[in-house]
Amino acid sequence: MSGSYSATTEGIEVSVEPFYLDDESRPEESEFIWAYMVEIHNGGSEPVQLKSRYWQITDGLGRQEEVNGPGVVGEQPVIEPGETYEYSSHCPLATDSGIMAGAYEMERPDGTLFNVTIPAFSLDLPDSIRSLN
């Protein structure tokens, strides 16, 4: 993905590309809506199942929110070696910038669990300078 952020943990590469949703945002009401596309590529030698997600969302004023739960977008996909799983989601912010980061908990076929890093990515309005806050 162009303009994306990526990180690799134990052969699992996570790439994220954020998008500002101008049509759904209401800046006058301090509501800024962001979408993000995620690609999870299994570069390892065995399948993995995405069991849960954890997000830390920080707005432009430094306020933090944590989100966690089973799977992503209602799924707990099994990702075979060499395959890529993609999904998109969104996040509302009360400020015009912020940052998101987190981790996925994955399960190997033998039942062992491990965490895969979701890279920190910046949420900045299209006309602003992109930087990790």
Side-chain angles (χ1 to χ4, degrees):
M1 291 188 293
S2 63
S4 70
Y5 301 81
S6 66
T8 303
T9 308
E10 297 192 36
I12 310 300
E13 181 180 11
V14 177
S15 299
V16 183
E17 187 169 2
F19 302 91
Y20 179 62
L21 298 179
D22 190 40
D23 293 346
E24 296 182 30
S25 297
R26 294 191 300 267
E28 66 282 356
E29 297 175 28
S30 297
E31 187 174 275
F32 300 86
I33 308 296
W34 299 90
Y36 50 92
M37 177 64 129
V38 178
E39 290 183 357
I40 304 169
H41 177 74
N42 183 354
S45 60
E46 60 186 1
V48 295
Q49 183 174 20
L50 193 160
K51 300 299 283 186
S52 64
R53 70 191 182 286
Y54 166 79
W55 289 101
Q56 184 177 63
I57 305 162
T58 306
D59 73 13
L61 298 176
R63 296 176 294 207
Q64 292 187 343
E65 177 184 356
E66 294 184 347
V67 176
N68 54 42
V72 291
V73 295
E75 298 181 359
Q76 290 183 317
V78 173
I79 308 167
E80 297 292 335
E83 290 189 353
T84 299
Y85 174 79
E86 299 178 9
Y87 76 95
S88 61
S89 191
H90 69 282
C91 171
L93 281 183
T95 61
D96 64 358
S97 66
I99 191 168
M100 291 178 66
Y104 297 120
E105 183 180 62
M106 299 287 193
E107 184 176 19
R108 295 183 180 94
D110 67 5
T112 59
L113 301 171
F114 66 104
N115 287 328
V116 171
T117 299
I118 302 169
F121 58 96
S122 189
L123 305 173
D124 296 307
L125 292 178
D127 295 335
S128 65
I129 297 171
R130 292 180 78 179
S131 64
L132 289 177
N133 292 321

